[in-house]
Amino acid sequence: MTNIDRVELQAMAQILHNLWFEPPGEELLAMVAEIPFVEQWPLGDSSPEAMQACELMDAASTTVIQASANLSDEQAIEALQLDYTRLFVGPGVPLCPPWGSMYLCETGLLNDVSTQALVAFYKDSGLELDSTRNEPVDHLGLMLAVIANALATEEGTIPVLMDSDEHVAFSRAWLALLLREYLMPFAPQCIALLAANAKTDFYRALAPLTLNYLQSLQSQLEAELVSHKSDAMH
């Protein structure tokens, strides 16, 4: 697969963060409506599943736009809001819990050992999250926001003292470590629950778009690190 530009990787992470983290209100739906996924999603042609997800997202956003234009037809929007709530919020345990500790810890509780490990990793890197919502830091949507911010920081501006230093926040090695140790151990299982339980095309499409993005980003970062290490040895 051809490497994706860092700017495009950042933009995709920001969009996916919004889709996972924000309820489907007017602002979010307006943003999605402006994105022609089939034509412009950088990973759309990376696999048949990705292209199908792009087509599904475009069709879903068109349906919602039409429903918004016709105020007497709110059924599509209400279905979307209900789907978001039952998947990510509750009542009770949501059908697709977005928090890593619910997959990585035997207790299945929020803010457990794996969450605290991520908090420590961020703290050691000098990173503090500023979220308007009181969410555990291992919320998949929040971790996508961290990825977006990391990719928005130019690699050359990061004060890396040693090429092997994986704890310099937002370096390529740091980002690869975040994916390898903290996000990808639970993300595929979480995304599988989204795919299995989503009732709307909007959230059905989100599952393969997210998995395809995370796998592609991880593969590209790991390949770049190997290449960088090889170049440094010559």
Side-chain angles (χ1 to χ4, degrees):
M1 185 189 75
T2 304
N3 277 8
I4 303 297
D5 180 82
R6 193 179 181 95
V7 173
E8 292 182 326
L9 288 170
Q10 189 276 333
M12 286 189 286
Q14 186 63 50
I15 291 167
L16 292 172
H17 155 69
N18 290 334
L19 293 175
W20 276 88
F21 198 67
E22 302 296 339
E26 183 177 342
E27 185 175 346
L28 177 67
L29 296 177
M31 178 205 74
V32 174
E34 293 179 356
I35 304 170
F37 280 82
V38 169
E39 296 177 9
Q40 294 187 8
W41 190 252
L43 288 168
D45 59 357
S46 63
S47 72
E49 292 79 13
M51 179 53 67
Q52 185 178 19
C54 288
E55 293 170 350
L56 204 58
M57 187 63 81
D58 279 346
S61 61
T62 298
T63 299
V64 172
I65 293 168
Q66 292 173 345
S68 299
N70 183 1
L71 296 180
S72 63
D73 180 15
E74 298 181 350
Q75 186 175 354
I77 298 174
E78 290 176 355
L80 210 56
Q81 294 169 340
L82 177 61
D83 212 17
Y84 173 87
T85 300
R86 57 192 288 279
L87 287 166
F88 303 132
V89 181
V93 178
L95 295 177
C96 174
W99 309 282
S101 64
M102 296 192 70
Y103 303 90
L104 300 175
C105 298
E106 292 183 0
T107 61
L109 298 175
L110 297 179
N111 291 309
D112 210 327
V113 176
S114 64
T115 315
Q116 297 311 311
L118 179 59
V119 169
F121 173 67
Y122 286 160
K123 185 177 180 180
D124 290 345
S125 306
L127 178 64
E128 293 185 14
L129 295 189
D130 182 19
S131 174
T132 55
R133 277 172 28 197
N134 185 25
E135 287 282 357
V137 298
D138 59 349
H139 186 295
L140 195 151
L142 274 180
M143 296 183 77
L144 283 163
V146 171
I147 290 172
N149 286 328
L151 290 167
T153 304
E154 288 295 331
E155 182 80 16
T157 66
I158 299 167
V160 181
L161 302 180
M162 296 175 59
D163 291 337
S164 61
D165 188 354
E166 293 185 327
H167 295 285
V168 176
F170 295 175
S171 67
R172 185 189 290 115
W174 184 91
L175 190 50
L177 186 62
L178 175 66
L179 284 159
R180 188 188 321 125
E181 299 292 332
Y182 300 98
L183 181 52
M184 292 308 284
F186 81 89
Q189 186 179 355
C190 175
I191 293 167
L193 285 178
L194 174 60
N197 292 292
K199 297 295 186 184
T200 60
D201 287 346
F202 189 90
Y203 287 108
R204 288 192 190 104
L206 180 59
L209 285 177
T210 306
L211 184 61
N212 176 256
Y213 172 78
L214 291 176
Q215 290 175 336
S216 299
L217 175 62
Q218 184 174 34
S219 177
Q220 180 168 320
L221 286 170
E222 297 290 357
E224 288 175 354
L225 286 173
V226 170
S227 177
H228 179 72
K229 188 174 182 179
S230 177
D231 291 344
M233 294 174 64
H234 291 87

